[in-house]
C-alpha cells in the first residue's frame, strides 16, 4: 500500500472543515468558560468523553483485531490507527477538567461529604490529588499501549504466524487487560463520581461498548467515504462491508444488552440508593432522550443491519454509521448532563444549551484535523492484504 495521493483533496477538505469548526468552536468555548461556566462544564465533559471515546474505541478494536486477525480488520486498520494516534491530544483537552476539579465534582466539597456517611468511607479514594495522579496514569498507560501497537503494527509480511504478528498479538492481549482496568477507573473518576452516592459495576462496560460502536461506525464512515480511491477501492468489497455490518450489529446488540441489564438489575432491586439514577433520567424531559436511545441506538439499527442487502450497500451502511455516531453523543449527554443539573430542590429538567454545540465543535474540529493528518501518514505504510495482490481474500 503506497501513499494514495488521489484522495488528498478529500483529506484537505476534511482538514479545512476541521480547522474552521475547531476555530469557531474554540472561540465559543472560551466565551462559555468565562460567561456561562455553569453550562460549560456539562457540555465540555460530554464532548471530551465523546471524542476520547472515538480514540479509545479505535484502540480497543485494534487490539481485538491484533488478537483475532481477519480481513475485516485490514480494511479499517489504518483508520483505527489514525484514530488512536490522537490519544495524546486528550492530555491537552483534559486541562480544563484538571484545573477545576472542585467546581465539577461534588465529592470535593467537605460539607457535602460529611453529610453522607458512604462518601466518608470513599474519601480516601475521592481526593483531588488522587484524581489528578490517576488521570496521568491512565493517559500514560493508554499512550504506552499505542506505542507498542504501532511498533508491531501489521506490515506487508504475508505470514500470519510471523514473529511480528505474534508480538502484536501479545501486545494486544496485555494491552487489552491494562486498558480494561484503567478505563474502568477512569469512568468512575470522570463521570460516575458526578453522582458519588450511586454506583454500578456495569457502568464502565456500557461505556466500553458504546465506544466500540462509535469507533467502528466512524471507521466504516471513513472507508465508505474513500471507497472511490485506492487502496480502499480494492479493500472495500461487498463481502468486507457485510463483515463490518455484522460487527456493527454485534456491537450494537452488546451495548443494548449491557444497558438493559444494568437497568433490569437496578429496577428489580428497587433500592433507593441505586434507582434514583434512573428516576432522574426518566423524568423532566430526559425520558425523551431515553426513548430515542432505545429506538435509534438499538431498534432501528438492529433491524436494518439484519438485512444482507443493506449491509452490502455502502450508502445504507454509511447512513447507519452516521446515526450511531449521533446517538452516541445523545447517550453520553443523557448519562453525564443530569449529574450536573441538580440544586437544593432536586434535579432539573432537560435543557440543551448552546455550550453543547460549541464544545463539541471545538474538540471535534481539532480532533478531525489531527486524525486527517495521521490518516495520510498511516495509509503511506504498507500492509499485506490478498485483495491488494489480486488474490482471493
Amino acid at each position: 500500500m503506497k501513499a494514495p495521493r488521489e484522495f488528498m483533496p478529500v483529506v484537505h477538505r476534511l482538514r479545512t472543515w476541521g480547522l474552521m469548526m475547531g476555530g469557531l468552536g474554540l472561540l465559543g468555548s472560551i466565551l462559555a468558560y468565562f460567561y456561562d461556566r455553569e453550562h460549560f462544564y456539562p457540555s465540555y465533559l460530554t464532548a471530551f468523553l465523546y471524542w476520547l471515546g472515538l480514540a479509545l474505541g479505535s484502540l480497543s478494536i485494534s487490539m481485538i483485531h491484533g488478537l483475532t486477525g481477519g480481513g475485516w480488520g485490514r480494511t479499517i486498520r489504518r483508520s483505527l490507527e489514525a484514530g488512536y494516534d490522537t490519544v495524546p491530544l486528550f492530555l491537552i483537552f483534559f486541562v480544563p477538567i484538571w484545573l477545576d476539579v472542585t467546581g465539577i465534582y461534588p465529592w470535593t466539597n467537605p460539607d457535602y461529604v460529611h453529610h453522607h456517611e458512604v462518601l466518608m468511607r470513599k474519601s480516601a479514594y475521592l481526593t483531588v490529588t488522587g484524581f489528578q495522579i490517576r488521570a496521568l496514569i491512565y493517559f500514560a498507560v493508554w499512550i504506552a499501549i499505542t506505542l507498542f501497537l504501532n511498533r508491531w503494527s501489521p506490515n506487508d509480511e504475508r505470514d500470519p504466524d510471523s514473529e511480528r504478528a505474534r508480538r502484536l498479538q501479545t501486545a494486544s492481549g496485555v494491552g487489552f487487560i491494562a486498558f480494561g482496568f484503567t478505563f474502568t477507573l477512569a469512568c468512575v473518576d470522570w463521570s460516575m463520581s458526578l453522582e458519588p452516592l450511586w454506583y454500578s459495576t456495569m457502568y464502565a462496560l456500557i461505556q466500553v461498548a458504546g465506544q466500540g460502536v462509535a469507533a467502528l461506525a466512524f471507521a466504516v464512515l471513513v472507508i465508505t467515504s474513500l471507497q472511490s480511491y485506492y487502496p480502499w477501492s480494492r479493500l472495500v468489497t461487498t463481502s468486507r462491508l457485510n463483515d463490518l455490518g455484522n460487527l456493527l450489529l454485534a456491537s450494537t446488540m452488546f451495548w443494548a444488552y449491557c444497558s438493559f441489564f444494568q437497568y433490569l438489575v437496578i429496577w428489580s432491586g428497587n433500592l433507593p440508593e441505586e434507582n434514583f439514577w434512573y428516576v432522574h433520567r426518566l423524568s423532566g424531559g430526559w425520558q425523551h432522550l431515553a426513548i430515542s436511545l432505545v429506538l435509534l441506538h438499538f431498534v432501528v439499527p438492529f433491524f436494518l443491519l439484519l438485512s444482507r442487502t443493506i449491509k452490502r450497500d455502502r450508502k445504507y451502511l454509511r447512513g447507519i454509521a452516521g446515526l450511531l455516531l449521533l446517538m452516541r453523543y445523545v447517550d453520553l449527554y443523557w448519562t453525564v448532563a443530569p449529574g450536573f443539573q441538580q440544586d437544593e430542590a432536586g434535579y432539573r429538567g432537560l435543557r440543551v444549551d448552546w455550550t453543547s454545540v460549541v464544545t463539541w465543535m471545538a474538540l471535534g474540529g481539532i480532533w478531525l484535523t489531527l486524525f486527517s493528518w495521521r490518516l495520510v501518514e498511516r495509509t503511506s505504510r504498507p500492509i499485506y492484504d490478498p485483495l491488494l495482490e489480486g488474490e482471493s481474500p
Side-chain angles (χ1 to χ4, degrees):
M1 180 188 293
K2 297 181 179 180
R5 296 301 162 188
E6 296 176 354
F7 81 100
M8 288 303 294
V10 179
V11 174
H12 286 318
R13 284 197 297 272
L14 175 61
R15 196 171 299 169
T16 300
W17 279 103
L19 288 171
M20 292 174 57
M21 186 172 78
L24 291 173
L26 186 60
L27 178 60
S29 297
I30 292 172
L31 293 174
Y33 179 81
F34 287 104
Y35 297 104
D36 194 6
R37 197 168 300 187
E38 178 186 1
H39 300 117
F40 170 78
Y41 275 115
S43 302
Y44 187 86
L45 183 59
T46 303
F48 173 83
L49 293 175
Y50 177 82
W51 294 106
L52 176 65
L54 289 183
L56 294 182
S58 298
L59 181 63
S60 61
I61 295 174
S62 294
M63 288 188 286
I64 291 174
H65 178 246
L67 286 167
T68 63
W72 66 269
R74 289 192 293 268
T75 305
I76 61 174
R77 181 81 198 189
R78 296 314 188 207
S79 175
L80 294 175
E81 290 174 345
Y84 72 62
D85 277 347
T86 64
V87 169
L89 176 65
F90 290 91
L91 269 171
I92 301 173
F93 289 165
F94 191 74
V95 169
I97 300 171
W98 171 289
L99 293 177
D100 203 10
V101 179
T102 56
I104 300 174
Y105 298 96
W107 48 262
T108 61
N109 184 342
D111 294 333
Y112 182 83
V113 173
H114 290 154
H115 280 85
H116 299 91
E117 182 181 351
V118 65
L119 292 186
M120 296 184 67
R121 294 198 297 266
K122 298 178 181 180
S123 59
Y125 180 86
L126 293 176
T127 65
V128 174
T129 302
F131 178 94
Q132 294 173 333
I133 292 175
R134 287 193 300 273
L136 293 177
I137 294 173
Y138 304 151
F139 280 110
V141 171
W142 298 338
I143 293 172
I145 294 172
T146 66
L147 293 176
F148 279 107
L149 293 184
N150 286 342
R151 183 175 183 179
W152 307 114
S153 175
N155 57 13
D156 54 359
E157 288 183 341
R158 293 170 174 259
D159 184 7
D161 297 318
S162 66
E163 179 67 17
R164 187 182 188 90
R166 287 197 297 270
R167 294 196 177 191
L168 175 63
Q169 191 174 48
T170 300
S172 298
V174 175
F176 208 86
I177 295 172
F179 171 77
F181 181 74
T182 53
F183 184 72
T184 297
L185 294 179
C187 282
V188 173
D189 287 353
W190 298 347
S191 55
M192 194 162 73
S193 71
L194 289 168
E195 296 164 283
L197 299 176
W198 182 82
Y199 69 92
S200 169
T201 55
M202 293 191 70
Y203 186 87
L205 187 60
I206 293 171
Q207 300 308 314
V208 169
Q211 286 182 352
V213 173
L216 189 58
F218 183 77
V220 168
L221 203 61
V222 170
I223 65 166
T224 52
S225 299
L226 297 174
Q227 189 176 357
S228 300
Y229 307 98
Y230 182 87
W232 294 282
S233 57
R234 300 284 295 275
L235 292 175
V236 185
T237 63
T238 54
S239 176
R240 293 277 175 89
L241 287 176
N242 188 78
D243 291 341
L244 292 170
N246 286 333
L247 285 170
L248 264 182
L249 173 62
S251 59
T252 301
M253 291 172 63
F254 182 62
W255 171 85
Y257 171 86
C258 295
S259 300
F260 172 73
F261 271 91
Q262 176 180 267
Y263 174 79
L264 180 64
V265 169
I266 291 176
W267 176 81
S268 59
N270 198 28
L271 299 175
E273 62 269 25
E274 294 181 352
N275 61 23
F276 76 89
W277 194 88
Y278 279 106
V279 170
H280 298 150
R281 286 163 175 79
L282 295 175
S283 59
W286 294 103
Q287 70 271 24
H288 302 306
L289 294 188
I291 293 171
S292 71
L293 285 171
V294 173
L295 294 177
L296 301 179
H297 202 317
F298 174 62
V299 175
V300 172
F302 173 78
F303 283 104
L304 290 177
L305 289 171
L306 288 176
S307 169
R308 181 182 175 91
T309 302
I310 289 177
K311 285 182 291 193
R312 287 172 167 256
D313 189 301
R314 71 168 181 170
K315 292 182 179 179
Y316 285 125
L317 195 59
R318 187 163 53 193
I320 295 171
L323 174 64
L324 289 171
L325 283 171
L326 171 63
M327 297 313 298
R328 174 59 183 162
Y329 183 84
V330 174
D331 182 26
L332 281 171
Y333 193 78
W334 181 79
T335 300
V336 172
F340 286 88
Q341 299 189 1
Q342 53 184 307
D343 50 30
E344 294 180 356
Y347 281 68
R348 291 171 286 177
L350 171 65
R351 173 177 174 175
V352 180
D353 297 285
W354 65 278
T355 55
S356 300
V357 177
V358 296
T359 52
W360 184 88
M361 288 175 59
L363 301 191
I366 298 171
W367 187 86
L368 287 171
T369 302
L370 180 58
F371 171 83
S372 65
W373 172 60
R374 296 305 303 163
L375 181 63
V376 174
E377 198 280 332
R378 281 291 175 181
T379 309
S380 67
R381 303 185 182 188
I383 184 172
Y384 171 71
D385 192 300
L387 294 178
L388 294 175
E389 307 294 331
E391 304 170 11
S392 299

